[in-house]
Structures are given as C-alpha cells and as structure tokens.
C-alpha cells in the first residue's frame, strides 16, 4: 500500500533504517532485523524525493539538487530545444544547456550520485526481502535506474549485490570481454552498452511475471503508486525503441522495432488509457480545463487523469515535501507574473526561481508563426485554437518584455516560458499546502505507448500505415489539434516534443533520430553546441557525437582505478 507507505518515509521506522544505511551497506547475514518496509518505501521515495526530513541521501550543499526528477530534467531537457537555463551554478548554463558537459561538471555528479545511491537502496532491499511481488517491483525500479545509467553514461559502473569492493564497469561483465586484452574506449563503450541492455531486458521480463496486474488506480486506491506489469511493458518498449542507439550507435539501425511495438501495444490493449474529454467531470470542464491540463495539476491522482498514469510518483504538500519533484517543475519554470491557462496563479507560492525557458524551435512545433505567441498569456495562446498542449507563456513581466529569442541566456525573460505544471485542483478545491505540491509526477504515461507503437510500426510497415496514423490521431484528437491525412517519422519526433516536453525524454528521442550530437544531425536549435554570434545564441551549431553520452564524473575516475572514462572524454577535463 504505497499511498500510506509514502507517508512512512518520515516515520521513525524509516529513519531507523536510514541510520543503518548511513553506516554503510547492510550485511543481511549480520543484520538480523532489517526494516523491510522502510527499505521498500525508500526505494519508491528515492524516485522523487531527496531523502529523509529534507536532507539529501548523500552529501550535497543543496538537497533539492540531489533529486532524480530534477536531474533527469536537467540532462534530458536543458541540452535540447525544450529547455534552457540561465543559472550559473553547477555548470547548468555554461555546460548542460550548451552541450558542453565535461567530467568536472558539478551537476553531473548529482545525477551520477543519485542513480548510484538509489541502486544501492534497491540492492539492500533485494538482499533481505522475501515477498515476491515487492521483490519484483524493486527489481523493476533498479532496472529503471540501470536504464538511465545506460542512457546517460553508456558504460556505467555495475553493482547488483551488496559489496564493499570498488565497482567495475559494465563492459567487464560482457560475455565477450577478455581480461588482460587491450581495447579501445569505443570498444569498451559498446561492450558496456550491450551488457546493460541485455541485463535490463532480463530483469524486466523476469520481474514482470510477479508484478501486480496492469490496472490504473486513483490516489484513493491501496495500490496507487506501485509499479505493475504495465510499467515493465512501457519500459521494455522504451528500451527496445532505443536499441539502435544502445547497440549500434545508430538509432535507426534497430533490430528490435517489433519488440518495441509489441510491448507498447500491450499497454494500449490494457486497462490503461488516454485521459480524454469523456472522462472529465463536468466541474473540470466548467472551470475551463482540457484533458491534457489535468495530467499536471494538484489533483491529478483523483481527477480522472490517473487512468493514464502507469507509474505515478506521489507528492503531497503536507507529507512528501521536497525541492526537486513537482515543486521544481513550477519553481524553476515559472516566475510570479505568470498564470495558468485558466488565468490562475500556480497554486503554490514556490514559483519564483525563474530559471528554465524554451527555445524558438520548440515553439515552432506548435505554430509556423512563433512570434504570434510573444506578448500573450497562456490563456490567450489557448484561445488561438492551435493545440491544447501549447501551455506556453509569452506575456511580459510588468513593463519588461519577454522575447522569443534566448539572446545571450542571461535572464529569465529571454525565451518563452512554460505553465504546464501547477498545483491547482480542477474542482477549484484547496491544495494541502500553500507552498509544497500535491501534483503527482507521472513517470510513465499511456500516451508514450501510442507514439512508441506508431514509430515502430512505421519502421516495420512504412510511413503509410493506417494503424500508426490511428495512434497519432488519438493524441491529436485529445489535444484538439488538426488531424492530417498522413504522417512521417519526423512528424512523430515533433509529436513527441508536443506531448512530452518537460517530462525528461527529449534528448533520448533526438539521439534515436540521429539529430543530437554528430555531423550527421540536420536539426539544430538556438544555442546548440554553444554557438554565440554577435552576443546572441543562434541556430546552426553542431557538437561531437561522443556527447550523446555523458562522461563519468572525474572524482569517480580518480577514486576508482577500475573505471575507464567514457570514449571521447579526457579525465583531466
């Protein structure tokens, strides 16, 4: 029962468990009474929270920077047209936003430490638990973390058991690796990716058998927030969709399109479904909302939208307070002058960090005339009748104009802003807290299955597939967007931008289409690769293909002689 289990994160039992963790790895042979439920809830809570009682799970000066969701946003959104940040701390503006991350980047360490720490929690639970369903869930969660390790780092360190030994890299576990033989870094990267890909597939398919049936829940149901079979299916679909990237370094050279399609369609054919207008309450409609809006609001666990939430990460303004989950999606993306699409405040006073905006090329996903969004509120942009997902803010702040251009990325008013996330209730009800958020973060949504399936089908059957078109049409119908007579693979890439912006998948999508790093990329955006001309970041830049994966933090390389830096990076950087 995760709904109540989430509340246990701050309870004495979990604190006691965490004191054991802080002393080092639990040895199940020595620890006679490990706190099983404490470890179990910790594995879930670590998906979105920083730690216990506002403290991070590892040493860091700002606990909020340690959270997983915040770091996924930083490293999968900010390097693309879907985001940019002007903050100078931790290399966010100079490195992450401009595709120049090096091994010494401070923010990179936070991503790496979070994943490593969370994997450790899972390993501890798996060493002592016996309940097969809980074991399967935590196995799934650990597989998700290793999926992120694969996606971000490629040849990441790999530890699947409690051990005091220094971790070895994934390539050493590849069945074709020969100790003592000399390999290039490119060869090691390939072997590491191959091992992790195969290991994750095995973990997910094994865990799926013992996971709960695929069944959407609301926040009043006992199993709301638990990973079920559909979570394994959607992650397998995502993994197979990106197999070309992971196995061949070419996202379009993929031997697993059929598997990506099959697992996506398992989700589509399950009891999970798109949240559409016919599932909305009349009150929500009367209050001016559209279905897409309700997915990202404070009552999204109870307003009907959770029929789409394959794995909701729980947020409650009174119980699960934190700086790096849903609050981050408002605080970092809003300023106090902004309003929701219905003209409201964000439902939280935590809206003044004013950091992230979007670039012109993202706005162009919605309109051929992006200048038409400048000077308009989100409500006025909605009234243009283009696409309900265009939750964009272009209005000025007092007498200060907002620009479509990101300029030299030195202030929040350079670039249009996003009001997709808020803490309001579709019923008009009052959030649990005036500052912290009730908005659950839907880590996987059924919408992804529709676009995964459509993309895979086009590769298997051609772009004229009526089945693929039907899947895309359902999303566009939900958004009240124009339905076209046909679609291309590039249309799907654009559709994914419209559907999933700020949700942490854009970099991965661009890499799969070979449009991120490398000379083969034909798509560009303002500031790509840090192109600055006449004091303004411009479109047209490129950067090296090796930056499709991030380096291991330099401190890890220096501390662990088992590790070899990722191909393309220099340890002394």
């Amino acid at each position: 029962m995760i709904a109540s289990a989430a509340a246990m994160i701050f309870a004495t039992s979990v604190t006691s468990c965490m004191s054991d963790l802080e002393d080092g790895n639990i040895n199940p042979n020595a620890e006679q009474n490990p706190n099983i439920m404490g470890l179990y809830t910790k594995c879930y809570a670590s998906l979105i929270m920083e730690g216990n009682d506002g403290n991070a799970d590892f040493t860091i000066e700002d606990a909020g920077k340690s959270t997983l969701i915040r770091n996924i946003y930083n490293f999968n959104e900010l390097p693309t047209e879907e985001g940019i940040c002007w903050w100078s701390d931790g290399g966010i503006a100079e490195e992450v936003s401009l595709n120049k991350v090096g091994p010494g980047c401070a923010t990179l360490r936070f991503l790496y430490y979070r994943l490593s720490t969370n994997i450790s929690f899972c390993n501890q639970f798996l060493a002592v638990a016996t309940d097969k369903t809980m074991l399967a869930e935590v196995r799934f969660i650990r597989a998700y973390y290793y999926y992120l390790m694969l996606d971000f780092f490629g040849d990441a360190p790999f530890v699947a058991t409690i051990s005091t030994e220094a971790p070895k890299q994934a390539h050493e576990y590849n069945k074709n690796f020969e100790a003592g033989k000399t390999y290039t870094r490119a060869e090691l990267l390939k072997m590491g990716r191959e091992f992790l890909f195969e290991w994750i597939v095995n973990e997910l398919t094994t865990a799926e058998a013992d996971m709960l049936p695929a069944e959407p829940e609301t926040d009043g149901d006992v199993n709301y927030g638990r990973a079920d079979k559909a979570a394994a299916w959607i992650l397998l679909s995502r993994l197979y969709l990106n197999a070309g990237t992971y196995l061949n370094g070419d996202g379009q050279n993929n031997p697993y399109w059929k598997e990506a399609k099959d697992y996506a369609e398992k989700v589509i054919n399950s009891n999970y479904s798109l949240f559409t207008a016919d599932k909305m309450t009349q009150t929500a409609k009367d209050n001016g909302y559209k279905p897409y809006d309700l997915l990202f609001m404070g009552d999204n666990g109870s307003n009907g939208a959770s029929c789409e939430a394959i794995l909701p990460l729980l947020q409650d303004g009174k119980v699960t307070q934190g700086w790096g989950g849903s609050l981050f999606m408002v605080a970092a993306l809003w300023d106090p002058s902004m309003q929701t699409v219905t003209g409201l405040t964000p439902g939280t006073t935590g809206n003044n960090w004013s950091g992230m905006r979007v670039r012109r090329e993202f706005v162009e996903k919605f309109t051929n005339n992006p200048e038409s969004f400048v000077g308009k509120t989100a409500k006025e942009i909605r009234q243009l009748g283009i696409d309900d997902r265009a939750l964009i803010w272009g209005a000025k702040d007092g007498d200060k104009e907002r620009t479509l251009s990101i300029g030299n990325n030195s202030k929040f008013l350079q670039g249009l802003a996003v009001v997709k996330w808020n803490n309001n209730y579709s019923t008009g009800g009052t959030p649990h807290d005036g500052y912290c958020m009730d908005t659950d973060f839907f880590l996987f949504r059924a919408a992804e299955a529709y676009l995964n399936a459509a993309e895979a089908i086009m590769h298997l059957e051609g772009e004229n597939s009526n089945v693929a078109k039907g899947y895309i049409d359902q999303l566009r119908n939900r958004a009240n967007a124009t339905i076209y007579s046909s679609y291309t693979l590039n249309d799907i890439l654009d559709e994914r931008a419209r559907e999933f912006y700020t949700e942490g998948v854009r970099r991965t999508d661009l890499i799969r289409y070979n449009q991120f790093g490398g000379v083969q990329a034909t798509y560009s955006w303002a500031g790509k690769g840090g192109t600055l001309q006449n004091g303004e970041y411009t479109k047209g830049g490129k950067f090296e293909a090796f930056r499709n994966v991030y380096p291991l933090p330099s401190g890890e390389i220096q501390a662990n002689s088992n590790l070899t830096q990722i191909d393309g990076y220099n340890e002394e950087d």
Side-chain angles (χ1 to χ4, degrees):
M1 180 176 174
I2 302 303
S4 60
M8 294 175 59
I9 295 304
F10 295 102
T12 303
S13 60
V14 181
T15 303
S16 174
C17 169
M18 284 308 299
S19 68
D20 292 333
L21 293 178
E22 289 164 1
D23 290 337
N25 290 320
I26 293 175
N27 182 341
N29 296 317
E31 177 65 29
Q32 298 300 313
N33 297 296
N35 189 325
I36 302 297
M37 185 56 71
L39 278 170
Y40 175 67
T41 55
K42 185 65 180 178
C43 291
Y44 272 102
S46 298
L47 284 161
I48 195 166
M49 296 179 67
E50 48 258 51
N52 290 6
D53 301 321
N55 297 309
D57 290 321
F58 51 85
T59 302
I60 186 174
E61 79 282 359
D62 181 342
K65 293 179 181 179
S66 76
T67 49
L68 182 68
I69 295 303
R70 181 167 176 171
N71 279 290
I72 291 174
Y73 176 90
N74 284 343
F75 286 95
N76 262 352
E77 296 288 346
L78 293 182
T80 77
E81 82 278 45
E82 289 186 4
I84 191 167
C85 184
W86 67 282
W87 301 336
S88 60
D89 56 319
I92 287 286
E94 301 86 354
E95 296 181 73
V96 182
S97 294
L98 301 177
N99 319 106
K100 295 181 176 181
V101 174
C105 177
T107 301
L108 180 73
R109 296 200 303 273
F110 307 153
L111 170 66
Y112 179 86
Y113 292 160
R114 171 50 62 188
L115 290 173
S116 300
T117 300
N118 287 6
I119 289 168
S120 177
F121 294 146
C122 293
N123 286 342
Q124 307 235 13
F125 176 82
L126 293 171
V128 296
T130 58
D131 182 278
K132 68 177 185 178
T133 304
M134 293 166 65
L135 283 166
E137 291 170 36
V138 173
R139 238 177 136 169
F140 162 82
I141 293 170
R142 184 180 63 174
Y144 173 63
Y145 294 143
Y146 271 118
Y147 162 78
L148 293 175
M149 281 288 202
L150 168 62
D151 190 68
F152 285 127
F153 300 106
D155 185 21
F158 179 78
V159 180
T161 60
I162 296 173
S163 174
T164 58
E165 296 180 1
K168 297 179 181 180
Q169 254 165 304
H171 68 253
E172 292 204 36
Y173 298 92
N174 188 303
K175 59 183 180 293
N176 296 318
F177 177 78
E178 298 179 29
K181 183 177 177 180
T182 301
Y183 295 95
T184 66
R185 290 187 180 186
E187 289 171 331
L188 295 178
L189 176 60
K190 180 175 176 58
M191 284 194 290
R193 282 173 144 180
E194 287 174 349
F195 169 78
L196 285 175
F197 179 88
E198 293 171 2
W199 184 87
I200 295 165
V201 167
N202 181 68
E203 284 293 292
L204 291 174
T205 53
T206 302
E208 187 264 348
D210 291 327
M211 295 173 78
L212 293 169
E215 191 65 45
E217 308 273 359
T218 70
D219 58 15
D221 297 320
V222 294
N223 290 324
Y224 182 72
R226 293 181 73 175
D228 62 23
K229 291 180 185 294
W233 299 338
I234 195 64
L235 183 52
L236 278 163
S237 177
R238 186 186 292 187
L239 181 68
Y240 282 126
L241 194 73
N242 291 288
T245 297
Y246 304 143
L247 300 178
N248 301 313
D250 177 358
Q252 301 301 289
N253 179 17
N254 187 345
Y256 290 107
W257 294 122
K258 184 179 185 302
E259 288 80 358
K261 164 189 172 293
D262 289 347
Y263 277 107
E265 290 188 327
K266 286 176 77 72
V267 174
I268 293 169
N269 295 325
S270 75
N271 288 333
Y272 285 94
S273 61
L274 294 179
F275 179 59
T276 49
D278 59 302
K279 300 182 177 87
M280 290 178 64
T281 65
Q282 190 59 47
T283 299
K285 293 177 181 178
D286 292 343
N287 286 336
Y289 295 109
K290 301 294 184 181
Y292 191 76
D293 304 332
L294 271 66
L295 292 163
F296 311 99
M297 295 182 64
D299 61 347
N300 58 353
S302 59
N303 63 23
S306 63
C307 67
E308 188 168 329
I310 295 174
L311 180 53
L313 306 183
L314 308 188
Q315 297 279 263
D316 184 293
K318 288 296 185 184
V319 178
T320 55
Q321 300 178 352
W323 301 98
S326 296
L327 177 63
F328 172 80
M329 306 309 295
V330 170
L333 276 69
W334 284 64
D335 74 14
S337 73
M338 295 161 58
Q339 297 175 344
T340 70
V341 72
T342 58
L344 301 176
T345 69
T348 165
T349 56
N351 64 330
N352 56 2
W353 298 1
S354 311
M356 286 61 168
R357 301 91 64 214
V358 295
R359 312 187 204 205
R360 177 191 182 104
E361 291 73 24
F362 172 71
V363 181
E364 289 173 346
K365 298 293 182 285
F366 292 103
T367 174
N368 292 327
N369 181 22
E371 288 83 2
S372 66
F373 284 16
V374 177
K376 289 186 174 62
T377 64
K379 187 173 185 178
E380 291 169 335
I381 290 173
R382 170 69 59 84
Q383 290 169 349
L384 296 176
I386 296 172
D387 189 314
D388 290 345
R389 296 169 296 187
L391 299 174
I392 297 173
W393 181 266
K396 61 185 181 180
D397 180 1
D399 60 353
K400 299 175 182 176
E401 300 287 343
R402 182 173 293 279
T403 64
L404 182 62
S405 167
I406 60 171
N408 63 357
N409 190 30
S410 63
K411 56 186 176 181
F412 186 65
L413 289 169
Q414 294 173 323
L416 303 193
V418 170
V419 294
K420 179 171 172 175
W421 298 85
N422 65 85
N423 196 38
N424 294 301
Y425 281 27
S426 62
T427 60
T430 303
H432 296 167
D433 187 80
Y435 189 94
C436 293
M437 300 274 286
D438 294 338
T439 309
D440 296 334
F441 190 100
F442 296 168
L443 187 64
F444 301 102
R445 293 198 284 118
E448 180 180 351
Y450 287 77
L451 290 178
N452 287 7
E455 183 176 336
I457 289 169
M458 283 191 183
H459 279 284
L460 292 167
E461 302 176 9
E463 293 183 324
N464 61 347
S465 167
N466 286 329
V467 176
K469 179 183 182 316
Y471 288 147
I472 300 168
D473 285 350
Q474 289 189 59
L475 288 175
R476 293 186 65 79
N477 272 322
R478 193 254 294 270
N480 292 303
T482 301
I483 301 300
Y484 296 113
S485 59
S486 63
Y487 301 96
T488 67
L489 282 163
N490 282 333
D491 288 331
I492 292 178
L493 181 61
D494 287 347
E495 194 67 22
R496 292 181 71 90
R498 288 183 283 265
E499 183 68 31
F500 300 121
Y501 66 100
T502 74
E503 295 179 62
V505 298
R506 186 57 172 172
R507 168 189 152 275
T508 305
D509 289 344
L510 289 171
I511 292 171
R512 184 174 68 258
Y513 275 75
N514 296 325
Q515 295 300 326
F516 194 63
V519 296
Q520 82 290 340
T522 57
Y523 178 54
S524 189
W525 52 86
K528 182 178 183 180
T531 306
L532 188 66
Q533 295 181 1
N534 299 320
E536 181 173 343
Y537 285 109
T538 60
K539 181 179 178 179
K542 292 180 181 289
F543 54 89
E544 303 91 334
F546 73 79
R547 293 189 180 278
N548 285 342
V549 289
Y550 291 111
L552 298 176
S554 55
E556 292 301 299
I557 296 291
Q558 294 163 8
N560 184 355
S561 61
N562 291 336
L563 303 183
T564 300
Q565 185 56 273
I566 303 300
D567 186 40
Y569 293 96
N570 187 324
E571 287 91 345
E572 285 72 43
D573 189 336

